[in-house]
Amino acid sequence: MAAHLKKRVYEEFSKVSQQVTLEEVPSKKLRLTKPSKSAALHIDLCKATNPTDALQYLLSFARKPVEAESVEGVVRILLEHYYKESDNSVRLKIASLLGLLSKTQGFASDCIVDDAINTLNTEKSHQVLAQLLDTLLIIGTQLPDKTAVIQRLIDVACKHLSSTYFGVRNKCLQLLGCLGTVDKPLSKETDTGAGAGAQTSAVRDVLSLISDYFQDQDPRVRTAAIKAMLQLHERGMKIQQTIYNQACKLLSDDYEQVRSAAVQMVWVLSQLYPESIVPIPSSNEEIRLVDDSFGKICHMVSDGSWVVRVQAAKLLGSMHQVSPHFLEQTLDKKLMSDLRRKRTAHERAKELYASGEFSSGRRWADDAPKEKVDTSGVNLIDSGACGAFVHGLEDEMYEVRIAAVEALCSLAQSSRSFAEKCLDFLVDMFNDEIEEVRLQSIHVLRQISTHITLREDQLDTVLAVLEDSSRDIREALHELLCYTNVSTKECIQLALLELLKNLSKYPTDRNSVWKCLKFLGARHPTLVLPIVPELLSTHPYFDTPEPDMDDPAYIAVLVLVFNAAQSCPTMPALFSDHTFRHYAYLRDSLSHLVPHLRLPGRKQTASSGVEASGVGSGSLESAKNFLQDSLVRVSALQNLETPGAQDLLEFTIRDLLRLGELQTELAGSADFCATYLRCQLLLTKALQEKLWTMAVPLCLKQNAKVSTATRQILDETYKLEFLYSGLETQQIATIHNVRLQAKALQLILTARSKRGVDRVLGVCEKFLQDVESFQRLFMTELPHFQDSFVEKLLELMPRLTACKPLDLVKILQTTLRQSRCIHLKLPEQIHRASATIIEPTGESDNPLRFTSGLVVALDIDATLEHVQDPQTTVKVQVLYPDGQSHIIHPKPGDFRTPGPGRVRLITQVYLSHSAWTEPCQIEVRLLLAYSSSSSKLSSSKPAWNESMDGLPTSESSIEGTIHLSKPVKVFIMPKPARR
């Protein structure tokens, strides 16, 4: 019995010991490693039996990415194979790969400098030498702070400048331009001369060394030398004036690339040393450097290469320091007398006395004055540069003509006299055969319109463009006429007549023509006054028939007259009775075109009284103070749940909305503040509901009410972030704080209404990710969020990540009640994005009829204000009576930019539907699509699930849409197809 018990104890002990042994033995971990890139490359290169195979292996290797930790091994393998390889093409590819690998992030490229320089010393192939120098240039640009390495590379470049191959010299000059410094002289051992011989005995600098190669025998090297000098200038190093004469000589080089680079160099020197005095060749006269360089660049406008001509014309537009008489010479092909050096009367008398000849009268007209100047006269400007802009505007290449027009605009903006002189030339460009040139000429004349007044013959040429079939050109001309001054009343009559012809030929231009006449009348009240009886067809004795108010041409005339009458108090005396009635009608229907007039003996309307009293045009400064005081008053409330606090919020929101209506300059800021305060009001009301103290089945109605308020707060926060421009980081962080509060409220509602831990767990994880994202994006703004909801969350973050979902919900509920409203600090200016649909107007009762199953095109014309990136964010929504909704993405070419902050959308929308029994209305509106990737501060894309309209998005990047315009209703009638 004892033996048996002993045996069983032994067996149990052996089992336990075996179990402990198995547990103590560490398990072997499987480690996955990527195959080494260097080993694979080494194997491939060893397999290559000829240079072609090796080159193929290198080409295939170049297409694959290389990790930073593998770069050093790959570089060693490449260098090892480089030393063994005899084929030039393979060595060239290896040198190229070394340069590409040195750009890898995290790789210390200075470790291969020694090997690259050693290969340079032994390399015999010029092409490989050039590629190795390019690799050294890439390495040098990666190491701007290591002066020792940079100095070595400069020494190497100087050493190889004496190479006979142009590619090597090019790369050396490029390296000197990108890495060289002008304050350090080159060492005696490395300094070389140009082409002919070296001067190693003198200490020289980089500038003089590069300038020696301006006269190199190869044009590619001359171009590289000039570009290297320009590169030094771009890096902030001062170029010496001594190279000016060399650069001027290169303007007559035989090669286009050299002349192009030389023009740029001459322009740079004219900006650096404008007031320096330079001598005129073959004379004792002197001239300012900027004037001399201006004349030389003018001469290049007649160059044989159109590329050089475009470059010269563009550079002329930036030379604002040139003397006025040199500037005016560019518009006359004949050399002006004040640009010639004239001999004095004593010099002429002395020459006549020395010759011993006087007029004998035997030869015909021997003493007549001669216009031609003799050869002893000295021209201060090259005769080839005369009329430079005339040549540019008459050039056969439209690119040159556009460049000349833009240069004229730039110079005319800074000189009123030059603007008046170049007016005829710009007006002539309205008849150019290329539409782009005509359009640019109109835009240019618009920019200098403050300096000019059009004569009748010039206006006649301008108005002829209204016959153009291009809508862009006609609208650009309307914009030009808005800001143009004319000289006589005949000009006003001519402009009105042509605009009315334009209106009858192109009825879609109605709004643009009316706007044009509004500004034309406001700018010329004294010229409109004498022709008012003729325009209104009034007679001093007889009654005339009342015109039709539905006639767009009659409305256009009234817009002109009423805007002129605003600053001409004697004009209303010429109006007939029906004109006053028409004014009252247009004042209400087209208030943006018809101004308020003080009519004698007429009763003022309520709206007119408001404007007349000055309420709508009050002091902007006092309005700003009122806005700030309103925000301070709200932020002073310690607890928004008190009875009077919510009333104060509602009154403040009402006042801010009214302020935005009265002060258009503050409309964006006032609407932004009102929307933010509305979010706070909704949040406060939601937290006061009874559902927080009642069981879920007893408060279904309150639950739905709070859920609706939560969705509304989320929608408003997206409007705050994406509908307003000019926001700073602090305002965006404040918006995200309110959004987090709404999401916390949404999480609480989800936990109370849904069963199952899995659903709540997923929502909790998403909410914690949003909190972490807030901390990452707005780390610098956290000091401004004291006692706020997000600050309390970040303090409790370790506890929140470890607790259960139901505990998290309880903590959030308590934190929401304890957090206070953050004071909103406004930036300087906030603009609200908006859109107005001009066409269709929605006033027509005549339906668009089309066969069901087919399509009909609906023209859309809209104006966008302060919309950022409209090509990707603006969409057109069509809502059918049966609830179907279509979203159309306009083409980028449908967007035009008539002015800063304004965008014009002209597009077509194709409608289609099944057959209807009677006409119905569809709604057309513009939407603003948004996504977190479009936010300036979002580094990662959170999965926003809310959509402003619940519309199905056609692009995965669009996460929601915001209404950008009011809907316009259009009658359509899909007819059944005929059998």
Side-chain angles (χ1 to χ4, degrees):
M1 185 71 181
H4 180 69
L5 183 61
K6 186 177 180 181
K7 182 179 180 182
R8 285 190 62 185
V9 171
Y10 178 78
E11 287 176 357
E12 291 292 334
F13 179 78
S14 62
K15 285 181 182 180
V16 173
S17 62
Q18 186 179 4
Q19 225 172 359
V20 172
T21 307
L22 288 173
E23 290 176 0
E24 290 178 351
V25 174
S27 59
K28 294 184 178 180
K29 294 182 180 179
L30 183 63
R31 184 181 179 187
L32 298 177
T33 59
K34 295 181 180 179
S36 172
K37 294 276 185 180
S38 57
L41 180 64
H42 180 67
I43 294 171
D44 289 341
L45 292 176
C46 290
K47 287 192 298 185
T49 57
N50 52 52
T52 304
D53 292 342
L55 196 58
Q56 287 297 329
Y57 287 130
L58 290 172
L59 288 171
S60 61
F61 176 78
R63 300 187 192 101
K64 302 173 185 176
V66 182
E67 297 79 10
E69 57 270 13
S70 305
V71 171
E72 189 170 356
V74 171
V75 166
R76 293 302 162 199
I77 295 297
L78 288 174
L79 287 171
E80 181 182 342
H81 192 78
Y82 179 93
Y83 291 125
K84 296 187 295 184
E85 184 60 52
S86 59
D87 187 78
N88 291 342
S89 59
V90 177
R91 295 205 309 278
L92 181 68
K93 186 60 184 175
I94 291 175
S96 174
L97 284 175
L98 290 175
L100 292 174
L101 291 169
S102 65
K103 296 180 181 179
T104 307
Q105 293 291 335
F107 172 65
S109 54
D110 53 344
C111 64
I112 61 174
V113 171
D114 293 332
D115 296 296
I117 293 176
N118 292 335
T119 54
L120 271 173
N121 297 329
T122 58
E123 184 57 56
K124 302 299 181 185
S125 170
H126 294 304
Q127 288 87 352
V128 181
L129 269 175
Q131 186 58 56
L132 286 170
L133 286 168
D134 188 64
T135 299
L136 289 177
L137 174 60
I138 294 173
I139 295 172
T141 54
Q142 302 290 324
L143 307 168
D145 300 329
K146 300 198 174 183
T147 54
V149 176
I150 298 296
Q151 189 59 43
R152 285 190 64 191
L153 298 181
I154 292 174
D155 294 344
V156 169
C158 295
K159 179 180 178 182
H160 288 85
L161 266 175
S162 57
S163 172
T164 57
Y165 181 59
F166 79 93
V168 175
R169 300 203 298 278
N170 277 0
K171 291 299 178 184
C172 290
L173 290 169
Q174 188 178 354
L175 198 148
L176 288 175
C178 293
L179 304 178
T181 54
V182 296
D183 52 351
K184 285 187 177 181
L186 298 173
S187 58
K188 296 181 181 180
E189 293 80 5
T190 60
D191 187 19
T192 60
Q199 299 176 354
T200 57
S201 58
V203 176
R204 305 174 60 202
D205 60 358
V206 171
L207 288 176
S208 60
L209 182 60
I210 294 176
S211 63
D212 286 343
Y213 287 85
F214 285 0
Q215 310 300 327
D216 194 272
Q217 60 183 356
D218 195 296
R220 291 163 290 192
V221 178
R222 296 198 293 272
T223 306
I226 301 174
K227 289 184 176 179
M229 195 72 76
L230 291 172
Q231 184 70 27
L232 288 174
H233 168 70
E234 290 176 4
R235 291 172 51 214
M237 300 181 188
K238 197 170 181 65
I239 300 177
Q240 300 300 323
Q241 185 188 341
T242 52
I243 64 173
Y244 177 70
N245 290 331
Q246 291 177 282
C248 291
K249 290 178 182 177
L250 292 173
L251 292 175
S252 57
D253 198 276
D254 293 336
Y255 292 87
E256 171 189 328
Q257 295 85 353
V258 180
R259 297 197 303 274
S260 177
V263 168
Q264 187 72 27
M265 176 59 70
V266 169
W267 177 83
V268 166
L269 291 170
S270 72
Q271 303 303 305
L272 291 176
Y273 307 99
E275 300 300 329
S276 297
I277 303 299
V278 295
I280 297 176
S282 67
S283 76
N284 296 326
E285 300 293 325
E286 292 181 336
I287 193 175
R288 291 196 312 155
L289 190 145
V290 66
D291 293 335
D292 188 58
S293 60
F294 182 78
K296 287 180 167 54
I297 296 178
C298 282
H299 185 67
M300 301 307 292
V301 177
S302 304
D303 192 84
S305 168
W306 72 270
V307 177
V308 178
R309 297 200 299 271
V310 169
Q311 185 184 15
K314 287 182 177 179
L315 293 176
L316 286 178
S318 59
M319 302 183 72
H320 299 286
Q321 296 172 299
V322 69
S323 301
H325 50 279
F326 280 89
L327 197 58
E328 294 165 6
Q329 178 63 67
T330 58
L331 301 175
D332 193 351
K333 291 185 179 181
K334 287 186 178 181
L335 187 63
M336 296 179 183
S337 61
D338 58 352
L339 291 178
R340 300 179 180 130
R341 185 186 67 84
K342 294 177 283 292
R343 291 175 296 169
T344 63
H346 291 287
E347 290 176 336
R348 292 196 301 272
K350 182 179 179 182
E351 182 182 358
L352 189 64
Y353 177 77
S355 64
E357 292 186 7
F358 291 91
S359 175
S360 62
R362 294 181 180 179
R363 288 178 296 174
W364 176 256
D366 59 350
D367 59 345
K370 299 177 177 60
E371 181 182 357
K372 185 177 179 180
V373 181
D374 57 359
T375 55
S376 63
V378 177
N379 295 340
L380 302 183
I381 185 173
D382 191 350
S383 59
C386 297
F389 282 124
V390 179
H391 292 297
L393 296 175
E394 296 174 352
D395 199 276
E396 61 179 349
M397 304 296 291
Y398 83 94
E399 293 91 348
V400 181
R401 300 200 296 274
I402 289 179
V405 166
E406 292 174 348
L408 271 177
C409 171
S410 179
L411 293 171
Q413 283 179 315
S414 57
S415 173
R416 188 182 188 90
S417 62
F418 185 71
E420 295 172 353
K421 288 182 172 62
C422 70
L423 179 57
D424 285 324
F425 298 95
L426 288 174
V427 170
D428 286 341
M429 296 306 294
F430 285 17
N431 299 319
D432 196 272
E433 59 184 0
I434 303 297
E435 179 179 337
E436 189 177 349
V437 180
R438 298 198 300 271
L439 191 59
Q440 189 62 31
S441 303
I442 296 171
H443 288 321
V444 162
L445 202 58
R446 157 73 182 87
Q447 294 177 43
I448 64 172
S449 58
T450 54
H451 297 312
I452 59 175
T453 300
L454 288 178
R455 302 189 310 268
E456 190 171 351
D457 59 315
Q458 294 170 336
L459 183 64
D460 196 17
T461 306
V462 169
L463 293 173
V465 184
L466 289 174
E467 299 289 332
D468 200 295
S469 60
S470 170
R471 182 170 186 167
D472 291 339
I473 287 189
R474 295 198 307 273
E475 292 190 352
L477 193 67
H478 296 157
E479 189 81 12
L480 167 64
L481 292 175
C482 289
Y483 300 97
T484 301
N485 299 314
V486 296
S487 53
T488 63
K489 64 183 179 66
E490 285 77 15
C491 292
I492 295 290
Q493 288 177 309
L494 179 62
L496 178 62
L497 181 63
E498 293 299 326
L499 286 169
L500 293 180
K501 287 181 182 178
N502 174 203
L503 190 60
S504 62
K505 187 174 182 180
Y506 302 103
T508 55
D509 292 353
R510 182 181 64 180
N511 289 284
S512 182
V513 170
W514 287 351
K515 177 188 172 186
C516 173
L517 288 170
K518 170 191 174 182
F519 285 93
L520 198 64
R523 292 179 74 89
H524 306 91
T526 56
L527 299 181
V528 175
L529 179 62
I531 59 175
V532 167
E534 182 181 350
L535 295 178
L536 298 180
S537 301
T538 58
H539 194 275
Y541 308 119
F542 302 106
D543 284 338
T544 54
E546 182 175 347
D548 183 11
M549 275 303 297
D550 293 331
D551 184 9
Y554 177 61
I555 295 177
V557 173
L558 289 182
V559 168
L560 173 74
V561 172
F562 290 152
N563 280 277
Q566 187 180 17
S567 52
C568 185
T570 60
M571 194 178 294
L574 303 175
F575 295 169
S576 58
D577 289 338
H578 63 257
T579 307
F580 290 109
R581 293 197 305 270
H582 295 169
Y583 164 75
Y585 172 74
L586 291 178
R587 178 65 187 142
D588 290 335
S589 59
L590 297 174
S591 58
H592 63 288
L593 294 174
V594 178
H596 165 68
L597 298 179
R598 292 181 177 273
L599 301 177
R602 296 281 167 173
K603 185 179 179 181
Q604 302 294 326
T605 61
S607 61
S608 301
V610 170
E611 290 187 23
S613 63
V615 176
S617 57
S619 171
L620 181 62
E621 193 64 33
S622 62
K624 287 182 179 179
N625 294 335
F626 175 79
L627 180 62
Q628 295 292 343
D629 293 343
S630 300
L631 295 178
V632 171
R633 188 165 57 249
V634 171
S635 64
L637 296 174
Q638 297 296 329
N639 187 6
L640 293 179
E641 296 183 2
T642 56
Q646 295 183 21
D647 294 336
L648 178 61
L649 269 180
E650 291 177 352
F651 291 145
T652 306
I653 292 170
R654 183 199 62 186
D655 293 343
L656 290 177
L657 292 175
R658 182 59 178 158
L659 178 67
E661 295 173 1
L662 297 176
Q663 281 288 350
T664 54
E665 296 87 350
L666 293 177
S669 302
D671 291 346
F672 180 82
C673 296
T675 307
Y676 173 76
L677 294 180
R678 190 182 300 115
C679 291
Q680 296 292 344
L681 183 61
L682 288 170
L683 192 64
T684 305
K685 288 184 176 180
L687 291 173
Q688 282 184 330
E689 289 296 333
K690 297 178 181 179
L691 78 150
W692 310 113
T693 57
M694 296 172 62
V696 177
L698 301 178
C699 55
L700 296 177
K701 184 178 179 180
Q702 288 84 355
N703 201 356
K705 185 177 178 181
V706 174
S707 179
T708 304
T710 305
R711 286 195 300 270
Q712 189 176 354
I713 294 171
L714 287 171
D715 292 348
E716 296 290 347
T717 58
Y718 287 118
K719 286 183 182 179
L720 287 172
E721 183 174 2
F722 296 102
L723 204 58
Y724 296 87
S725 58
L727 302 180
E728 298 173 355
T729 311
Q730 185 174 351
Q731 287 83 43
I732 297 177
T734 306
I735 296 168
H736 279 251
N737 175 65
V738 177
R739 190 176 300 161
L740 277 179
Q741 289 177 288
K743 289 186 175 182
L745 194 58
Q746 200 173 48
L747 172 58
I748 296 170
L749 290 174
T750 304
R752 290 174 61 87
S753 59
K754 291 186 178 180
R755 295 182 179 180
V757 181
D758 295 337
R759 293 183 179 182
V760 180
L761 185 61
V763 180
C764 291
E765 290 178 354
K766 177 64 180 65
F767 179 77
L768 293 176
Q769 290 175 5
D770 292 338
V771 177
E772 292 175 355
S773 176
F774 183 96
Q775 185 180 15
R776 183 176 66 253
L777 294 174
F778 305 107
M779 180 65 72
T780 57
E781 301 298 329
L782 290 179
H784 302 291
F785 288 83
Q786 294 180 359
D787 297 332
S788 66
F789 175 71
V790 71
E791 187 192 42
K792 295 179 184 298
L793 280 186
L794 293 176
E795 291 175 356
L796 298 170
M797 199 63 186
R799 183 181 168 190
L800 294 177
T801 54
C803 69
K804 296 179 180 180
L806 295 179
D807 295 334
L808 173 64
V809 170
K810 292 178 182 179
I811 295 172
L812 288 179
Q813 186 172 341
T814 306
T815 310
L816 275 173
R817 287 180 171 276
Q818 293 176 351
S819 58
R820 70 174 185 86
C821 175
I822 301 175
H823 175 56
L824 184 64
K825 293 184 179 179
L826 291 178
E828 287 295 326
Q829 187 73 35
I830 297 179
H831 295 291
R832 188 183 193 275
S834 62
T836 305
I837 298 178
I838 303 172
E839 292 288 342
T841 58
E843 300 171 353
S844 175
D845 295 332
N846 188 21
L848 289 173
R849 301 180 184 273
F850 61 98
T851 304
S852 62
L854 301 181
V855 296
V856 63
L858 179 65
D859 292 323
I860 303 291
D861 184 359
T863 304
L864 311 177
E865 300 278 350
H866 307 294
V867 179
Q868 297 178 340
D869 194 17
Q871 285 85 356
T872 57
T873 57
V874 174
K875 315 296 177 187
V876 181
Q877 180 197 22
V878 179
L879 190 62
Y880 291 92
D882 59 354
Q884 292 187 37
S885 175
H886 294 169
I887 294 183
I888 297 95
H889 311 279
K891 297 179 291 185
D894 294 338
F895 294 91
R896 298 161 174 81
T897 308
R902 292 172 50 220
V903 177
R904 186 81 175 273
L905 172 61
I906 301 175
T907 187
Q908 278 190 331
V909 172
Y910 295 102
L911 310 176
S912 181
H913 209 279
S914 56
W916 296 352
T917 56
E918 61 182 19
C920 287
Q921 289 180 333
I922 61 170
E923 287 189 357
V924 180
R925 74 164 82 223
L926 297 184
L927 303 177
L928 182 71
Y930 65 84
S931 63
S932 59
S933 58
S934 65
S935 180
K936 297 178 182 178
L937 298 170
S938 296
S939 57
S940 61
K941 184 176 180 179
W944 310 118
N945 295 320
E946 297 78 13
S947 175
M948 297 302 297
D949 302 293
L951 300 174
T953 57
S954 57
E955 295 180 3
S956 59
S957 60
I958 297 175
E959 296 162 3
T961 53
I962 303 171
H963 290 172
L964 195 58
S965 71
K966 295 180 180 179
V968 175
K969 295 183 178 181
V970 180
F971 267 107
I972 66 170
M973 177 57 189
K975 300 180 297 183
R978 293 181 180 180
R979 298 295 180 185

